Amino acid sequence: MDFTQTLGAKPARRIQDLSPEATLAKLETLAHLLDSAFLIPGINRRVGMEAIIGLVPIVGDIAGVVISSYIVYEAKRLGAPRWLIARMALNVAFDGAIGIVPLAGDIFDAAFKANRRNVRLLRRWMERKGGLRPTEIEGTAVRLDG
């Protein structure tokens, strides 16, 4: 009998290692939530939770950078090269640095969408290295009339 069963506690669940495709899908969902989850009526622009969190001075911007850094961490875990990690980190740092400026930074944050940029960079790299099927078909279409 296990010690946890003796105390009546539930055994700890094991965290499953996600496939690269599942990890990328999770990151795309996170990027959508952070950068473009909500539509602003009237101006027809999308903003996400990061822009809303960023309205809280300093603390909101720091929280946004921390959450955005998770995408960079996952890219490193997936084996992305240093140049890609550096570019993604610069996107996060640039977004965070400009985001600190009151009001103008919040407007910039809503327009720059660093998380979606980073996930797009990661997806392209994964498609090029062959670890992921492309979402778009490259080339031109030819109509064959028969």
Side-chain angles (χ1 to χ4, degrees):
M1 182 175 255
D2 189 0
F3 179 70
T4 56
Q5 292 173 343
T6 308
L7 297 176
K10 294 181 183 178
R13 290 184 4 197
R14 292 184 182 166
I15 298 173
Q16 295 178 353
D17 190 16
L18 298 175
S19 68
E21 294 85 7
T23 301
L24 187 61
K26 179 178 70 169
L27 294 177
E28 287 173 334
T29 301
L30 177 63
H32 174 74
L33 179 66
L34 290 173
D35 287 343
S36 56
F38 309 107
L39 183 66
I40 299 175
I43 61 171
N44 212 21
R45 294 285 303 175
R46 291 194 155 286
V47 297
M49 291 300 297
E50 189 175 1
I52 295 168
I53 292 169
L55 293 173
V56 178
I58 308 298
V59 175
D61 296 312
I62 292 171
V65 168
V66 169
I67 295 169
S68 296
S69 296
Y70 174 72
I71 295 173
V72 179
Y73 166 78
E74 284 293 322
K76 182 174 174 147
R77 194 183 65 77
L78 288 171
R82 283 189 212 165
W83 66 266
L84 181 61
I85 299 297
R87 185 166 175 193
M88 292 171 72
L90 281 173
N91 282 341
V92 171
F94 184 65
D95 188 35
I98 302 296
I100 290 176
V101 178
L103 192 59
D106 298 320
I107 293 170
F108 173 81
D109 190 37
F112 186 63
K113 302 184 185 313
N115 300 301
R116 292 183 60 96
R117 285 175 189 260
N118 285 343
V119 171
R120 193 176 324 120
L121 287 170
L122 180 61
R123 173 175 278 286
R124 284 188 195 144
W125 173 78
M126 289 175 73
E127 288 172 354
R128 271 191 245 120
K129 81 164 187 139
L132 188 67
R133 289 187 342 186
T135 55
E136 298 175 358
I137 298 173
E138 294 183 19
T140 57
V142 177
R143 183 175 176 179
L144 299 175
D145 290 327

